[in-house]
Amino acid sequence: MAIYHKAFIKTPTIISIILYVLTLNLSFKTVTWATTTAGINLTLKKECTTQTCFQNFLDQIENITVLPLDTVTSILTVAFSTLEKILEPSLLSSPTELAFFGNLVLKTSEKLISTLVKPTDTSYSVNFTLAAIEGQVFMLGPNVTLDKIPQLDMTNSSVEIDLIGIANNNNGRSAAVAFMSYTMMENLLKPDFFNTPENMIKTMMSTVISATLPKTTNTKLTKPVNFTLKHIREFDPSGSLSCVYWNISEWTVDGCSVLKTNSSYTVCSCDHLSTFALIMQTSRPPESDPLLELLNLVCVIVGLVFFSLALLTFALCQWSPGVNNVARINICISLLLAHLLFLLTQQFLNLIRPQQVLCAVIAGLLHFLFLSGFVWMFIEAVLLFICVNNLSQISSKKREVLSSGFLCVIGYVVALVVVCVSALVDPKGYGSELCWIKMDKGFIWSFQGPVLVILALNMIIFIKIFTTVNSALKNLNVEVSQMKKNKIMAFKILGQCVVLGCPWILGFFINGSEVLEIIFVILNSQQGTFIFLIYCALNNEVWQQYRKLFRLICCDKQH
Ligand SMILES: *[C@@H]1O[C@H](CO)[C@@H](O)[C@H](O)[C@H]1NC(C)=O
Ligand SMILES: *[C@@H]1O[C@H](CO)[C@@H](O)[C@H](O)[C@H]1NC(C)=O
Ligand SMILES: *[C@@H]1O[C@H](CO)[C@@H](O)[C@H](O)[C@H]1NC(C)=O
Ligand SMILES: *[C@@H]1O[C@H](CO)[C@@H](O)[C@H](O)[C@H]1NC(C)=O
Ligand SMILES: *[C@@H]1O[C@H](CO)[C@@H](O)[C@H](O)[C@H]1NC(C)=O
């Protein structure tokens, strides 16, 4: 308790606010003690800044056994509105201060509500609803004829307690239960007071409730007490729920358990009475490693630069007739846009994340762009296949047909259809924490599935191409040089296929492995570099064009 003492001394102003307001309200009001003959004044000094002084106030209530309902509610109203004023500017910051005030509020409320208990022969109940607290008291006397006590209900919670059994264990066969629900208590008794070994995000899922057995001598429970708590926040299915009780300075689970739960209610069972709440734990997004983040940023930017260079080369260089760059250009466009969008999204994630719709749209767009990159890769393989098989027959006209808008329709419409179908089947699948596809419930297969299918089809096509090329080379009936070119091209496209497909397959196995994550970051971001390398840097034709271009720029400068 020494630590609370310190906390208290540190915050004399706060205490004086509470006491001052209480004084204002009570000094001109004589609170009468209903059942005894003497009238009792509740008094509080204005300069009450010590724990002893406040303890005095509690002591004064301590000796009061019965108060009228309106007095209790007016004291509670004042106390909670004061508390609200204190909490608003966050005057309280340290955990010890918060816990101290939490305990104070609990103790005062429990004390006050217990003054509502009046001796009865049969049964008697009182309840009140204030903005900050709801309370209900239920009493049983010796002559009660109930065989089941009614459920105690509040707006967002209810309690089941075997009060009849408890009354039977008491002298005079009487017992009382007081049940309270605090709306804003989570600001004091924060869910972070729930100490668990795992570093999880804790969220309060119910109002804080208290149950006590005032003026009951034998408070031993005959049956566990059951609480039905309504979830006051959306329940995250990946989170885990704990029924907890407040023990002086922390939330703990000892003796409490979750009986059953659905998306909007949880039933808790506890073997003792106290202050309870329902806390949800969700895993923290993995700590991002700043070094890995920097590596990622640099890699993605390098990749983007090479994507742009490759794109410029494909678009601007004069290629020899027969070279079909449509697929390559579109792979570059799709992946360049995808990587750019991904980079921007991750950089501005804090701004984008709260806009759920925007986040989902970005996820859908990324899905579309990455997928169309793969579809174009498939088209590229198919074009080469056609080229190899109909080498002598294919006319330049046919090539024109293949390179026209028809390809674009296939390249983009297929991806669009996959995204639309996915969005129709499960619109909530888009928009994860990173504004990408959600990994749970198999939705990721809407991406991994098509990718795997395309990679598998491409492998089949490559095997076909290699066997055709090899048998043709043996035949010697065809233009050997062209066949050799095709073989080299097939190797290049195969390499591209592996480089573009690998990261996503690798993505399946990352699961926290840092080495794999680094490989993923590098492979995934360097797709542009690789494309530039195999199609531009390793291509004599392109180098000649670069030289021309270089000379042009140099000559311009000389002028
Ligand atoms: C409360 O009662 C106790 C004994 O029952 C007594 O010693 C104490 O002075 C009383 N306190 C007040 C404030 O009346
Ligand atoms: C609470 O639930 C448990 C388990 O269902 C049950 O055994 C117990 O009797 C219940 N308590 C009350 C007071 O109904
Ligand atoms: C009950 O829960 C709802 C949210 O489900 C919340 O808005 C409301 O303030 C709660 N009422 C009380 C009295 O706790
Ligand atoms: C509260 O915690 C203390 C030790 O931390 C323990 O001895 C005590 O039994 C707990 N209270 C309840 C009601 O379980
Ligand atoms: C959830 O459980 C509560 C209480 O157990 C019940 O009233 C409610 O109908 C249930 N809701 C659903 C969606 O099952």
Side-chain angles (χ1 to χ4, degrees):
M1 285 314 274
I3 203 152
Y4 295 140
H5 212 101
K6 266 195 216 143
F8 194 87
I9 290 163
K10 259 173 62 192
T11 54
T13 44
I14 297 153
I15 300 298
S16 37
I17 297 173
I18 288 195
L19 298 187
Y20 181 67
V21 177
L22 279 176
T23 313
L24 279 185
N25 200 44
L26 296 174
S27 53
F28 53 85
K29 193 186 229 168
T30 306
V31 181
T32 39
W33 201 336
T35 53
T36 53
T37 42
I40 286 286
N41 287 338
L42 273 178
T43 50
L44 284 165
K45 286 195 211 100
K46 264 187 188 172
E47 263 90 59
C48 192
T49 53
T50 63
Q51 190 178 17
T52 342
C53 175
F54 197 84
Q55 197 62 50
N56 264 344
F57 174 63
L58 278 181
D59 288 346
Q60 287 178 54
I61 325 174
E62 185 87 37
N63 279 3
I64 302 174
T65 53
V66 179
L67 278 177
L69 180 61
D70 60 347
T71 310
V72 170
T73 52
S74 68
I75 295 178
L76 284 173
T77 308
V78 172
F80 277 98
S81 68
T82 312
L83 192 67
E84 217 162 323
K85 283 192 200 93
I86 296 169
L87 282 172
E88 223 164 57
S90 276
L91 285 174
L92 304 171
S93 50
S94 81
T96 42
E97 284 174 324
L98 291 169
F100 175 81
F101 270 93
N103 287 323
L104 210 63
V105 170
L106 291 177
K107 216 163 143 190
T108 314
S109 319
E110 282 168 18
K111 189 63 223 164
L112 282 169
I113 203 167
S114 73
T115 63
L116 296 173
V117 177
K118 280 184 223 152
T120 172
D121 272 346
T122 53
S123 72
Y124 174 65
S125 102
V126 195
N127 58 50
F128 61 86
T129 303
L130 303 174
I133 181 172
E134 283 179 87
Q136 188 163 14
V137 175
F138 194 84
M139 283 145 281
L140 282 187
N143 299 331
V144 75
T145 50
L146 301 168
D147 45 329
K148 188 177 185 292
I149 72 150
Q151 200 169 29
L152 303 174
D153 277 317
M154 304 267 183
T155 313
N156 289 335
S157 50
S158 68
V159 63
E160 254 179 82
I161 184 167
D162 178 29
L163 198 59
I164 297 169
I166 295 168
N168 286 339
N169 282 346
N170 270 284
N171 286 341
R173 299 185 58 228
S174 68
V177 60
F179 180 35
M180 283 147 283
S181 166
Y182 308 88
T183 331
M184 49 172 215
M185 205 59 167
E186 67 181 83
N187 300 324
L188 283 177
L189 308 182
K190 289 179 189 271
D192 286 334
F193 280 115
F194 184 32
N195 290 319
T196 47
E198 307 89 33
N199 182 25
M200 307 279 258
I201 297 175
K202 286 148 202 154
T203 316
M204 201 60 101
M205 287 300 288
S206 71
T207 49
V208 173
I209 60 167
S210 271
T212 55
L213 294 171
K215 296 178 189 170
T216 307
T217 328
N218 184 354
T219 56
K220 198 176 173 315
L221 292 182
T222 47
K223 279 185 191 174
V225 60
N226 300 335
F227 303 95
T228 304
L229 301 170
K230 186 174 178 226
H231 299 167
I232 55 170
R233 300 203 164 80
E234 198 180 340
F235 173 58
D236 178 351
S238 71
S240 73
L241 289 172
S242 307
C243 296
V244 292
Y245 79 93
W246 179 253
N247 185 353
I248 302 164
S249 60
E250 58 174 352
W251 290 111
T252 61
V253 289
D254 301 337
C256 288
S257 58
V258 175
L259 261 194
K260 56 184 173 186
T261 183
N262 63 27
S263 60
S264 46
Y265 287 90
T266 296
V267 182
C268 291
S269 184
C270 287
D271 61 10
H272 57 87
L273 289 182
S274 155
T275 299
F276 303 95
L278 182 67
I279 291 178
M280 176 174 70
Q281 296 185 75
T282 40
S283 53
R284 255 170 227 288
E287 285 283 310
S288 51
D289 182 347
L291 212 65
L292 191 62
E293 233 162 62
L294 186 70
L295 176 74
N296 196 1
L297 183 67
V298 171
C299 283
V300 172
I301 290 175
V302 168
L304 287 178
V305 167
F306 278 107
F307 260 129
S308 317
L309 284 180
L311 200 53
L312 282 178
T313 310
F314 292 144
L316 299 181
C317 284
Q318 289 168 343
W319 297 80
S320 56
V323 174
N324 189 337
N325 276 328
V326 176
R328 243 153 270 156
I329 289 176
N330 281 293
I331 289 176
C332 283
I333 292 177
S334 307
L335 294 183
L336 174 69
L337 289 178
H339 282 287
L340 189 64
L341 182 61
F342 197 70
L343 181 71
L344 290 177
T345 311
Q346 299 318 306
Q347 294 306 307
F348 299 101
L349 197 61
N350 289 346
L351 296 177
I352 297 171
R353 189 69 197 91
Q355 322 263 345
Q356 292 226 341
V357 176
L358 179 63
C359 189
V361 168
I362 288 178
L365 208 57
L366 283 173
H367 189 194
F368 167 75
L369 289 171
F370 276 121
L371 262 189
S372 53
F374 278 94
V375 176
W376 277 109
M377 214 149 61
F378 175 67
I379 291 176
E380 191 177 24
V382 171
L383 285 179
L384 184 70
F385 180 74
I386 293 171
C387 183
V388 167
N389 278 284
N390 307 314
L391 191 67
S392 42
Q393 295 104 309
I394 202 156
S395 64
S396 57
K397 233 182 196 171
K398 269 188 190 156
R399 261 188 218 122
E400 261 165 39
V401 170
L402 281 175
S403 68
S404 69
F406 170 69
L407 283 182
C408 287
V409 171
I410 297 183
Y412 290 109
V413 167
V414 170
L416 192 65
V417 167
V418 172
V419 173
C420 287
V421 169
S422 308
L424 281 179
V425 170
D426 184 8
K428 289 211 169 124
Y430 287 111
S432 68
E433 284 302 313
L434 295 175
C435 294
W436 171 235
I437 296 172
K438 284 184 190 156
M439 298 289 174
D440 54 339
K441 289 190 260 164
F443 190 76
I444 187 68
W445 284 102
S446 62
F447 180 66
Q448 306 274 38
V451 166
L452 285 182
V453 168
I454 287 175
L455 290 181
L457 286 177
N458 271 10
M459 286 306 140
I460 295 171
I461 292 175
F462 286 125
I463 292 169
K464 225 40 215 142
I465 289 176
F466 285 127
T467 49
T468 311
V469 170
N470 279 339
S471 64
L473 281 177
K474 276 190 204 124
N475 228 340
L476 287 180
N477 259 347
V478 286
E479 299 167 55
V480 175
S481 68
Q482 183 57 41
M483 266 305 170
K484 278 191 172 153
K485 257 191 207 162
N486 280 338
K487 199 171 171 182
I488 290 169
M489 189 48 79
F491 269 118
K492 285 184 174 181
I493 299 178
L494 177 66
Q496 168 188 315
C497 205
V498 170
V499 167
L500 298 197
C502 253
W504 297 108
I505 294 180
L506 194 70
F508 270 125
F509 305 108
I510 284 189
N511 266 341
S513 153
E514 191 153 329
V515 177
L516 282 183
E517 201 170 333
I518 291 173
I519 296 176
F520 176 83
V521 163
I522 293 175
L523 277 185
N524 196 26
S525 58
Q526 295 314 301
Q527 297 176 342
T529 316
F530 187 78
I531 288 180
F532 180 80
L533 216 70
I534 55 172
Y535 293 118
C536 306
L538 296 177
N539 190 327
N540 279 333
E541 216 177 316
V542 171
W543 276 112
Q544 280 164 18
Q545 306 250 345
Y546 282 163
R547 257 177 241 129
K548 250 192 243 163
L549 201 70
F550 187 66
R551 249 178 258 135
L552 209 78
I553 294 170
C554 287
C555 293
D556 271 355
K557 269 188 187 158
Q558 278 165 9
H559 282 284

